[in-house]
Amino acid sequence: EDQVTQSPEALRLQEGESSSLNCSYTVSGLRGLFWYRQDPGKGPEFLFTLYSAGEEKEKERLKATLTKKESFLHITAPKPEDSATYLCAVQFTGGGNKLTFGTGTQLKVEL
Amino acid sequence: DAGVIQSPRHEVTEMGQEVTLRCKPISGHDYLFWYRQTMMRGLELLIYFNNNVPIDDSGMPEDRFSAKMPNASFSTLKIQPSEPRDSAVYFCASSFYRGHEAFFGQGTRLTVV
């Protein structure tokens, strides 16, 4: 069965304390892996798409990487405004345009 | 573009009543998705359309749920009759073409009492 698992469920960091979020997947064939950010009371906001192992994408303090089994979202020197829930989703072969989401990592960055 | 627009933002209804959620996708997008988000199950895809045609409705929980897309700029998700377990945030999203990232609306928070 196709599954997406994110860890940790929650993460508390001090401002400037770098860390990584994990998204592991078991799918029959990966077409794409997506990272979204969700703020309370809002819809998910698109961050990155990764298509093949070895691919990396960067945006400000965020960097996403992809291997054959997992993806990491690295947060370098985070700021309080990076606090949000980060969601990972996959599209898999035979799944059409369906996005299967993980349950997310709730990140809080404190001063 | 104003993005994906959903209405209403909040809906409180009594068990047994009919509920209709509305969505206007981003102009030019040919895929439209309906998702439901709960604390227990996270984000689940209910149904998606391509060029106004339903492609995959395997996530629709039961016959009480129905979705339509009469034209490229409007879609509805209807629950009849509603039950307390339907309480959740319902999101609509649209995307430009196959495999491309989806853009989400602000969601409709539904409470069934």
Side-chain angles (χ1 to χ4, degrees):
Chain A
E1 182 183 331
D2 301 305
Q3 277 196 321
V4 181
T5 304
Q6 290 190 247
S7 62
E9 289 187 9
L11 181 62
R12 182 170 277 183
L13 299 173
Q14 296 296 311
E15 184 176 13
E17 180 187 1
S18 300
S19 187
S20 297
L21 313 182
N22 177 264
C23 172
S24 63
Y25 58 92
T26 53
V27 296
S28 51
L30 182 72
R31 285 181 48 218
L33 185 140
F34 300 75
W35 281 100
Y36 284 82
R37 167 191 171 128
Q38 186 173 25
D39 292 295
K42 295 192 174 182
E45 176 187 345
F46 171 75
L47 293 174
F48 304 108
T49 309
L50 302 166
Y51 293 105
S52 56
E55 191 174 356
E56 298 182 352
K57 294 268 180 79
E58 283 190 73
K59 180 180 180 180
E60 297 180 356
R61 295 177 292 281
L62 301 177
K63 178 180 175 180
T65 61
L66 181 65
T67 72
K68 288 187 177 180
K69 293 184 178 180
E70 59 192 347
S71 176
F72 291 95
L73 185 65
H74 306 278
I75 304 176
T76 303
K79 298 182 178 182
E81 53 261 43
D82 295 322
S83 298
T85 296
Y86 290 85
L87 298 164
C88 165
V90 299
Q91 280 184 347
F92 51 91
T93 304
N97 239 40
K98 182 186 301 188
L99 276 177
T100 300
F101 279 85
T103 52
T105 293
Q106 192 171 356
L107 173 67
K108 184 165 178 62
V109 182
E110 299 172 329
L111 290 169
Chain B
D1 201 314
V4 177
I5 299 173
Q6 292 186 246
S7 65
R9 289 295 312 277
H10 302 274
E11 176 82 38
V12 180
T13 190
E14 290 186 348
M15 183 174 62
Q17 295 297 306
E18 177 180 296
V19 176
T20 300
L21 311 182
R22 298 172 175 79
C23 175
K24 177 178 166 49
I26 293 173
S27 178
H29 282 191
D30 54 359
Y31 283 87
L32 183 137
F33 309 84
W34 282 101
Y35 285 88
R36 178 170 68 177
Q37 187 173 39
T38 61
M39 289 292 292
M40 291 295 295
R41 299 175 66 91
L43 262 170
E44 302 174 284
L45 178 68
L46 300 176
I47 185 172
Y48 78 91
F49 296 82
N50 177 219
N51 291 322
N52 314 336
V53 177
I55 302 301
D56 184 345
D57 65 355
S58 59
M60 297 286 262
E62 46 198 274
D63 292 344
R64 297 185 297 106
F65 285 69
S66 63
K68 293 182 179 180
M69 192 165 186
N71 57 61
S73 58
F74 184 66
S75 176
T76 59
L77 179 68
K78 186 177 293 186
I79 308 172
Q80 165 63 18
S82 57
E83 296 182 3
R85 60 193 168 117
D86 301 331
S87 298
V89 181
Y90 290 81
F91 287 103
C92 176
S94 68
S95 69
F96 184 42
Y97 55 81
R98 189 182 176 100
H100 214 253
E101 63 269 19
F103 293 87
F104 284 75
Q106 297 279 53
T108 295
R109 181 174 294 277
L110 173 65
T111 303
V112 183
V113 298

